[in-house]
Amino acid sequence: MQIRYRMLVFKMSRLASQNKLTAVQEIGFATELAELVVKEGIAERVVQELFDDDHPQLRRIAVNAIRRTGRFDVPGLQAALLRRLSDAEPWLRHDAVWVIQEAAMDGGLVRAGLRRLAGTVQLPQDAVRAKSNPGDALLQAQVRARQALDALLKKDAQAALAALRATLATFAALNQEPYGTGTVGQMNLARRELQRRMAKRALSSSTRLTFRRVEGPDGKAAFAETASTARSGQTSDDAAGDPS
């Protein structure tokens, strides 16, 4: 039972301890381990035993194997990935963020871990720099962490905007029909509207005072009061007396 798993782990451990485990072999072992996880249902065992292995290559193989399987509901997976976000090996941090992205994980601890890893990296300028330096493992990990964090923040902003639009739509509907026909509220609303119209009509028909510049008896400038009414349209001018 699970003999293939134990043999595979033994083979990987021996090569890693001898520093003979190449990047191509890592990919091959991750693929083989992912197949075992699917066939034998050992995802939880892989997370418990290999995610915290002493050798970074075995840890990375385990992380990528779980990513390939898509088994993201494994107990303890999120906690194990959070530990890998602060791994001493930058490529392991990168792969841990990759799994978090594909698993659509979210939460305060996840965001805090991504924020710590991203550091002062800014997009898109650092993403361009990372593209020009594909071998810079730390920069690649930081850029991916920033991208994952920005995606989560964007999701929050979209949710808040949708909630705001729904609230505004509700208020708009209320403003169209705030009260039912024949209710006290509807009658008070009609009364206030009538009062506003009457006040506007009274204001438009009232006397308005304007002033025009004239010269006084002593030749100094003075102002004469002009009264006009919107109803009659007539104006009358009275010369201003000498203020002295």
Side-chain angles (χ1 to χ4, degrees):
M1 190 68 176
Q2 299 182 358
I3 296 179
R4 288 185 57 194
Y5 168 74
R6 289 195 291 270
M7 291 179 62
L8 180 61
V9 172
F10 173 77
K11 185 177 181 180
M12 292 188 301
S13 300
R14 185 181 62 181
L15 290 174
S17 62
Q18 297 174 354
N19 293 324
K20 295 181 179 180
L21 189 56
T22 65
V24 175
Q25 288 176 318
E26 283 185 23
I27 297 174
F29 282 134
T31 303
E32 188 175 352
L33 183 58
E35 293 175 354
L36 284 177
V37 168
V38 174
K39 290 180 180 179
E40 301 185 11
I42 56 174
E44 186 174 358
R45 182 175 180 180
V46 169
V47 171
Q48 292 176 351
E49 295 181 0
L50 298 182
F51 267 53
D52 295 308
D53 191 86
D54 293 336
H55 203 284
Q57 287 181 294
L58 266 66
R59 296 198 298 270
R60 191 178 185 194
I61 290 172
V63 169
N64 282 290
I66 294 298
R67 179 183 59 80
R68 290 170 182 270
T69 63
R71 303 289 178 87
F72 302 131
D73 57 346
V74 181
L77 176 60
Q78 179 171 307
L81 289 172
L82 291 177
R83 292 194 296 273
R84 299 284 65 78
L85 288 180
S86 57
D87 198 281
E89 173 57 44
W91 280 121
L92 253 167
R93 298 182 227 172
H94 172 276
D95 293 348
V97 178
W98 194 355
V99 178
I100 288 174
Q101 285 179 301
E102 293 201 359
M105 293 182 181
D106 196 2
L109 294 177
V110 172
R111 296 191 182 196
L114 292 174
R115 190 175 291 108
R116 282 194 298 269
L117 176 56
T120 59
V121 165
Q122 297 293 328
L123 300 178
Q125 56 268 31
D126 286 316
V128 175
R129 189 161 60 90
K131 189 175 182 180
S132 302
N133 299 275
D136 191 336
L138 179 58
L139 180 60
Q140 298 293 335
Q142 289 178 316
V143 168
R144 183 172 281 274
R146 175 59 62 186
Q147 290 171 338
L149 182 60
D150 286 355
L152 295 177
L153 296 176
K154 182 179 179 181
K155 183 181 68 173
D156 286 351
Q158 290 175 341
L161 182 59
L164 178 60
R165 287 175 176 171
T167 303
L168 292 177
T170 302
F171 278 115
L174 291 175
N175 289 334
Q176 291 175 1
E177 294 293 338
Y179 303 106
T181 304
T183 61
V184 175
Q186 192 271 340
M187 290 187 289
N188 288 335
L189 185 64
R191 178 174 55 82
R192 288 193 295 270
E193 180 63 24
L194 178 60
Q195 290 174 344
R196 281 194 294 268
R197 290 181 181 178
M198 293 175 62
K200 184 177 180 181
R201 189 180 300 113
L203 180 62
S204 63
S205 62
S206 62
T207 301
R208 299 178 182 177
L209 298 179
T210 58
F211 296 88
R212 61 186 179 85
R213 183 171 180 174
V214 297
E215 290 187 1
D218 56 355
K220 294 183 179 180
F223 292 91
E225 183 179 301
T226 301
S228 63
T229 59
R231 181 182 300 173
S232 62
Q234 298 177 351
T235 61
S236 60
D237 298 333
D238 295 325
D242 187 355
S244 60

